[in-house]
Amino acid sequence: LVIRDDAFPYLNLLLTPIPFCPPAQKCIARARNSRLRRRYYGRVQQGVHEFLDLGQFMVRGDMTDANVRKFFDPLGVVVVEAKRKDVNGQCTKKDGDCRGKEIRDSRYNDMKTSMYLLGNAFRINQQKAPDNLPTVKAAKAFFKEMDAVEKSVNGKKPKKSDPVSVGHYAAALDILDQYLDLVELPPTESGHYDREFDTLVGETSRIM
């Protein structure tokens, strides 16, 4: 067998190992996790956007500030938009009111939910408990700091000068960067979060 000299580059390609899919269960898990990431990336990024915007008001230490309270307002954000309940385009209810009800919550609560679920979407081994994942551990550490701020803001007597809550916010900011790195999102100082984000399902499971 004679091999031409100009065939060697192509021969190397033939000898290069071809990536193969791991066992079927892992392939299925990765596909499912990819879909879940698309579902939560937008909500997490919008939460980060508003969390960072909150900083300019948090530094003042005034937990009565309307801008601070808005982030924790349980009616502050439409999490699920109202959908009409028509049947084949027609309202079948006796009262003629087929308007659905929107679901509202605080931006912080939606951020907590989406951060946890996004962190869990990085689980390949379904036998491993979610709370043992580095992504989920980082998310919970963030929640611990911000829950303390929420308790102060939504308490009976929020303080106009609350350096302790400011400290919790600062600690949460540091932890947030750890979390973002683990879920393959840009850091807080990248400028990526200077804009609003679509909270619907994204086109891709990764930042391109």
Side-chain angles (χ1 to χ4, degrees):
L1 176 64
V2 178
I3 301 177
R4 291 168 47 185
D5 292 342
D6 58 356
F8 280 102
Y10 302 98
L11 183 61
N12 289 335
L13 290 176
L14 292 174
L15 295 176
T16 301
I18 299 174
F20 65 95
C21 188
Q25 289 184 341
K26 288 189 177 180
C27 285
I28 294 172
R30 287 180 178 177
R32 181 182 63 251
N33 291 346
S34 179
R35 291 194 300 270
L36 291 175
R37 293 174 197 178
R38 288 197 300 272
R39 180 179 300 175
Y40 303 121
Y41 262 136
R43 289 168 60 187
V44 169
Q45 290 177 97
Q46 180 61 26
V48 175
H49 166 74
E50 295 190 30
F51 171 82
L52 295 177
D53 190 55
L54 178 67
Q56 61 184 307
F57 308 107
M58 281 296 303
V59 293
R60 303 172 186 171
D62 184 0
M63 299 302 109
T64 67
D65 189 308
N67 295 289
V68 174
R69 299 182 68 80
K70 180 182 177 182
F71 186 75
F72 300 100
D73 182 359
L75 298 176
V77 175
V78 177
V79 178
V80 180
E81 295 183 354
K83 295 182 179 179
R84 290 188 59 83
K85 299 181 179 179
D86 298 334
V87 178
N88 296 326
Q90 294 187 348
C91 182
T92 58
K93 289 192 174 182
K94 293 182 179 180
D95 59 4
D97 185 4
C98 283
R99 294 174 298 176
K101 293 183 179 180
E102 63 185 18
I103 299 176
R104 304 185 73 91
D105 205 341
S106 69
R107 174 55 65 197
Y108 175 54
N109 279 339
D110 186 64
M111 185 181 184
K112 286 177 68 175
T113 300
S114 54
M115 282 179 66
Y116 180 88
L117 293 173
L118 177 59
N120 188 42
F122 281 79
R123 179 170 53 145
I124 299 299
N125 182 357
Q126 298 304 307
Q127 303 300 319
K128 187 174 183 178
D131 289 354
N132 292 332
L133 295 171
T135 50
V136 173
K137 287 182 178 180
K140 286 194 165 186
F142 174 83
F143 303 157
K144 182 178 180 180
E145 299 295 339
M146 288 305 294
D147 282 351
V149 180
E150 180 186 38
K151 184 176 180 180
S152 176
V153 171
N154 290 341
K156 293 182 179 179
K157 294 182 179 180
K159 300 178 181 179
K160 294 186 69 67
S161 179
D162 190 347
V164 174
S165 291
V166 175
H168 284 301
Y169 176 86
L173 179 60
D174 289 338
I175 297 169
L176 181 58
D177 268 321
Q178 300 173 26
Y179 172 84
L180 293 174
D181 181 59
L182 290 169
V183 297
E184 302 174 2
L185 282 170
T188 56
E189 295 183 354
S190 64
H192 177 74
Y193 306 99
D194 293 345
R195 63 182 179 89
E196 300 271 340
F197 290 87
D198 187 349
T199 55
L200 299 178
V201 176
E203 296 180 355
T204 176
S205 62
R206 293 176 67 101
I207 298 300
M208 305 303 289

